[in-house]
Amino acid sequence: MMERCFDFSQDELDELRAEMEEMRDSYLEEDVYQLQELRRELDRANKNCRILQYRLRKAEQKSLKVAQTGHVDGELIRSLEQDLKVAKDVSVRLHHELESVEEKRVKAEDENEVLRQQIIEVEVSKQTLQNELDKLKEVSNCQKSHEEEYCWVRMEIWHTGVLD
């Protein structure tokens, strides 16, 4: 009977170890996916920034031309208005993307904290089961020895929690 308890506890311990490994793997896979997604969004934002920088340089050149010549033509005004509209649109879109990325980051941090707590709980359960397994091994060893009375006293002490 004691061997069945020992086997059952060992099975529970193995199951908890497997569960803990699965949680860690899942946690790492999710982190990798989120990192890749954030990198893609960062690349898009960098591309948009380069576009805005190009348009800004172009607008500065046009502004310099107007300052030098003192002449503003309708084509230049329409071009500047178009550049301004595009810059505003890109700015609004980047702002929305930034908000989205921030929400995803906060959500990922919350999920990571939940997973950390679950890992801690599994490790505590694992330690509890390991302690129980150690007690069962001691009991099993005691039953095999000729000091049964000593073992029963020791088991009773464990049962009361004095040796924990």
Side-chain angles (χ1 to χ4, degrees):
M1 180 172 161
M2 193 59 67
E3 289 177 15
R4 280 191 291 169
C5 288
F6 175 74
D7 291 339
F8 179 71
S9 293
Q10 186 64 40
D11 290 342
E12 283 183 3
L13 189 59
D14 292 341
E15 187 177 314
L16 278 174
R17 283 184 182 140
E19 184 179 331
M20 193 167 72
E21 290 300 318
E22 282 180 35
M23 287 176 66
R24 284 186 181 150
D25 290 346
S26 172
Y27 175 75
L28 292 175
E29 287 173 7
E30 184 65 26
D31 277 354
V32 168
Y33 172 76
Q34 288 174 355
L35 181 60
Q36 289 171 343
E37 185 64 29
L38 288 175
R39 283 184 178 156
R40 281 192 290 273
E41 290 179 19
L42 181 61
D43 288 342
R44 283 193 299 270
N46 282 334
K47 180 180 176 184
N48 288 332
C49 284
R50 286 192 303 273
I51 291 169
L52 287 175
Q53 287 172 341
Y54 170 77
R55 290 181 183 259
L56 178 61
R57 281 194 306 273
K58 198 172 173 184
E60 287 172 344
Q61 290 171 354
K62 289 176 185 177
S63 175
L64 184 59
K65 180 181 174 186
V66 168
Q68 290 174 347
T69 63
H71 176 63
V72 180
D73 61 2
E75 172 83 24
L76 181 60
I77 290 175
R78 283 189 297 280
S79 175
L80 289 173
E81 286 173 346
Q82 180 64 26
D83 288 348
L84 181 61
K85 182 180 182 292
V86 169
K88 285 180 181 179
D89 290 345
V90 170
S91 175
V92 168
R93 188 177 38 160
L94 285 174
H95 179 72
H96 290 303
E97 285 182 18
L98 181 62
E99 286 177 342
S100 173
V101 168
E102 180 63 19
E103 288 172 5
K104 288 177 183 177
R105 184 192 62 79
V106 168
K107 182 180 176 186
E109 284 181 358
D110 291 344
E111 289 173 356
N112 287 343
E113 183 59 32
V114 167
L115 289 172
R116 281 188 196 101
Q117 291 300 324
Q118 288 176 347
I119 287 173
I120 289 170
E121 290 170 7
V122 167
E123 288 175 351
V124 167
S125 295
K126 175 186 162 192
Q127 186 60 44
T128 301
L129 282 174
Q130 185 63 49
N131 291 344
E132 289 296 319
L133 184 61
D134 291 345
K135 288 178 184 179
L136 288 172
K137 284 180 183 178
E138 180 70 26
V139 169
S140 177
N141 289 338
C142 284
Q143 286 182 344
K144 292 177 185 176
S145 73
H146 297 291
E147 305 168 348
E148 285 188 27
E149 186 175 324
Y150 169 75
C151 291
W152 286 110
V153 169
R154 188 162 174 84
M155 281 177 34
E156 185 62 33
I157 292 171
W158 263 333
H159 183 38
T160 60
V162 173
L163 293 179
D164 287 338

